[in-house]
Structures are given as C-alpha cells and as structure tokens.
Amino acid sequence: MGDTRAATVLAYHVRSKHAPDRYAAGPGTLDWDAQPKAFRDWEGAMQTPLPREIAVADIAWGELVAARAPLPFNLQNLGSLLRLCVGLTAWKEYAGSRWSLRAHPSSGNLHPTETWLIAAQVDGLQDGLHHYQNLHHVLERRAWGSDTQAAGVWLGFSSIHWREAWKYGERAFRYCQLDMGHVLAALSYAAALHGWKPRLPELDEAMLAHTLGVDRVEEFAGVEHEEAEVLVALHATDAALPPDWQQWAGKPALLDARPLYQWPVIDEVAEATRGPLPPTQVSAFGAAVRRGGDNDIRAAQVLLKRRSAQAFDGQSVLPQAVFRRLLWALLPGGSPVWEMWTLAARVHPVLLVHRVEGIAPGMYVLPRSDAARGALQAAFRETFVWQPADAEFPLFQLIAARAGKTARTLSCHQDIASQCAVTFMLVAEFAAPIAADPAAYRHLHWEAGMLGHVITLEAEAAGWRGTGIGCFFDDADHEVLGLKDDTWQVLYHYAVGMALDDPRIATVTAYA
Ligand SMILES: Cc1cc2nc3c(=O)[nH]c(=O)nc-3n(C[C@H](O)[C@H](O)[C@H](O)COP(=O)(O)O)c2cc1C
C-alpha cells in the first residue's frame, strides 16, 4: 500500500518537472476573465467581524526572538495575528485592473490556502469552527456544539487545488504545498510577536478533514474540493484534540463556473500524500542560540509590507551583515519558524552568489544538519571543492564562478534569477523520506516554502526583497549539482536582491 502510494508520488514528481524542451502539462489557453474566485464565502454562516488593530505594532524586528509574555487569547489579538500572517496587506491597481496582496506570497498570486480558526472559550468569540474570510477580515462560523469543554485555539489550513491548477496545470500541487509552507512560516513569525508558541499536533488525516468539515462530501457537491493540510495548536494542552462538532452551517461558494481543463493526477497525488506529520525530532543544530539584532524597524511593518520583487536592479551588492543574518535565520534555532517546525532539517540551501559583499561569486551550500553535510558531499559533483566560507556558519564554497546566466537559465529563463544578488536552490532529501512515508512529499515542500519565507522576511527587514521561483528546470538543476538519481531533488528556487518597483502600479490600503 505504502509502496503504491510512494510510486504514485514519484511518478507525479517526474511528470510535473519542467525541462527546457518540455514544460509540465498545463492549460493551452487561459481566459483571465474566468480566473477562479480568490475568496470563498460560506453562504449562510454567521459572521463575526474581527478587530483590525495590530496588537504588537511596537516590537522591533531585532527583538522578534526575545521571550515575551503571551498576550491573552481574545478576539482582538486573534484579529491581529490573522492580519499579520494571512490577511490582506494591500490592493494594487493598474490600467483598470485591481488585485489584492496578502501577508504571505503565493504562486501566481492565486492563493490556494484557506484558513480556519477553532476556538473554545475565547473572549468575544462564540465557540466553534470559523472560516477566516480575509477579504473583509471576518470569521464565518461553520460548526459548533461539542462535548469538549477545555479552552483551546487552533488554526487549520486547507488547499483549493483548482485555484492553482487553473493556471499551472499538473505542477500546481507542488505550488499549493510550497504556499502552505509560506503560510506556516508566516504564522510562526506573527505568533512569536504575540508571545504565542504554535505546535503541530500529530493528527491523522481523516480526523483533520473531519475537524475542518472538508470531508462533508454532500456540501461540496458541485463546488471545488478543499484538501485538508494541517492543524496548528496555538493554545491547548498537549493531549487536547479539537472538538467534534454537532451543528453545521453555511454552503461553500463555487469559485469557477466553467473549468476548462481537468488534471486528475493532482487528485491522485493528493490522495497518495495524505498522512500526519512524523513525530518531532530535534535537529542537530537545535542548540543554536536565539539571538536578536539591532534592526529597529517595526516587525509588524515588515510582515505587512512584504512584497515579492518583480524585477531586481542587477547591480546592488548585498551587505555581508545582511547575508550572514539571513544564513543564520535559515539554520535551526535562527528563526521562530524552527521552534514550531522541529523536525530534523531535510531541505538545504544551495546558493548561487552573484553580488554579496566579501563573498566571491560562485556556488555555495549551507547544510542545515551535520548529517546532511556528509550526505550532500557524497551525492554532489566530485569536483566541488567544499571550501569553508564562513567562520561561524556551515557555508561551503563548491565552485567559484559567475553564475548569473546559469541561474537565469535554470529558473525558466527568468531575469529575476540573474538580476538578484543571490539565487537559492533548495535541495531536499527525497527518495528515502518518501519511501518511508509518502506524506513526506508535502512536508518537504512545506519545509522548502518555510525556508523561502524566512529568506523573504529577512531580506525585507533589511530593505532588500525576495521572490519565490516555482518555475525551474528540475533535472537541469540536478545536472549542475551532479545529482544522478532522486536521492536528492531541488524543490524550490528563491531570489534575493534590490527590487525595482513599478511606479505605474498604485497601492490602496487593505481594509479601508
Ligand atoms: C511557490 C511560489 C512560486 C513562485 N514562483 C514565481 C516565479 O517563478 N516567478 C515569479 O516572478 N514570481 C514567482 N512567485 C512570486 C508570486 O508571483 C508572488 O508571490 C505573487 O504575485 C504575490 O505577490 P506578493 O508576493 O508581492 O504578495 C512565486 C511565489 C510562490 C509562493
């Protein structure tokens, strides 16, 4: 059974690869006016408006990691948390079009991830399961009534694959999973500001789907399915499970009345990758000390102002202090993300350095665990020099070379990959984790998405910018690294550089 599921996953991964002469299957034509709706309403569900005020507006970025007393779990503070991780941050307008942006990036700005809040005994909020409607920053109550009395707050997440598949076809499942990783990381930063410590309880997939109500097949008849992803405990005793609901309300809105294509392989890989997270393990670098910094920019502003660069200037040199702070944040212990995501590090950055102060242009690797260092060295090209490149961090130079053109070619010929200061390629342990548990396919993408989010926020806080790159030529990457089989696979690219903004695009506040 597990073997068949693993085989389904591996086959999906291969067929959803892009190559210079063969992109993964996708729609031949796109009707932009027929894009699936970015927001799902639950018709008939009771709404609770959320306060819009940011409760933690004064905390400096450099103090993000400092221990702080947890704020009470009330409507005010939950509204603040949701805005900072999954809320709208701006509307953009250009030439008669208008689109919204959120605290986390999303492939194609299509936002497949839906957010659910489960509350028991929260001041100002009725107990139950609520859908977070980010368009208006309100909660829609989907379910209530349970025998469980214990206080608790959980956030749940589901993906609507069609939102991504509409544009990206078969590769879309990967993008939904990378997006999920971004959301989890965004949540851990926002929670840290509120003094909250999110945990990932082990919960089997049927229970999760049941808790979020996405297994209520009859209610989803004729509308797009939601795939349960993960539950995060914000405030609950270790053993507490989310309540089992007795009453349900609301009907999910249809998002796309005329879907033109079908990508059944996405349903297959979704089914093959259902399963709980593995038990927590502490990473080898788990002892890394939290340390602050002297950056006094407001952390909440960083989270709300985060944007993906659409173009980089191709000349600015990333200061070494910014670069090193970024490396540190990627290592276990270096960011609030790694306090929530305590699994052993399985995804590791390879860096194509174009313009970084004091670092020769070339290809580098930052193994995030001691075990990975040896394993990567055994798997990568034999001619790589593995020259230590930092006194403190496990950064190794593999080759010295200008790699701008290579980065651009590997990233589906996108200029952002060469015009930035550093292009990251995130390489994951692959065949073994998936053979052991096919659900790892999702979790590895989440980890890659989380690393991307850490990169983007650290860049943003320092006045630089990041952009996720989901479009890359998989096996061309592997060829460059000398990887001969699927023991390791690259799952994501990321670019960091000095952004060029487009002055023609107007910005309007998120919640007027
Ligand atoms: C998983 C993922 C893949 C992405 N891939 C690309 C890409 O290949 N090229 C690109 O220019 N932007 C890419 N982006 C950036 C998105 O286009 C961007 O996040 C989106 O337009 C929303 O804008 P914002 O991040 O400024 O909110 C990607 C983002 C994510 C999260």
Side-chain angles (χ1 to χ4, degrees), residues 5-27:
R5 287 170 60 213
T8 303
V9 173
L10 298 182
Y12 167 77
H13 189 68
V14 170
R15 68 186 275 166
S16 61
K17 285 180 176 181
H18 285 328
D21 57 349
R22 179 204 163 273
Y23 281 73

Side-chain angles (χ1 to χ4, degrees), residues 101-102 105-109 175 178-179 182 306-308 414 416 467-471 492:
L101 298 176
R102 306 191 193 183
S106 167
S107 184
N109 200 23
Y175 296 161
L178 291 169
D179 273 27
H182 276 280
R306 177 217 61 80
R307 285 290 122 71
S308 299
Q414 299 185 76
I416 47 172
T467 303
I469 303 182
C471 189
Y492 199 17

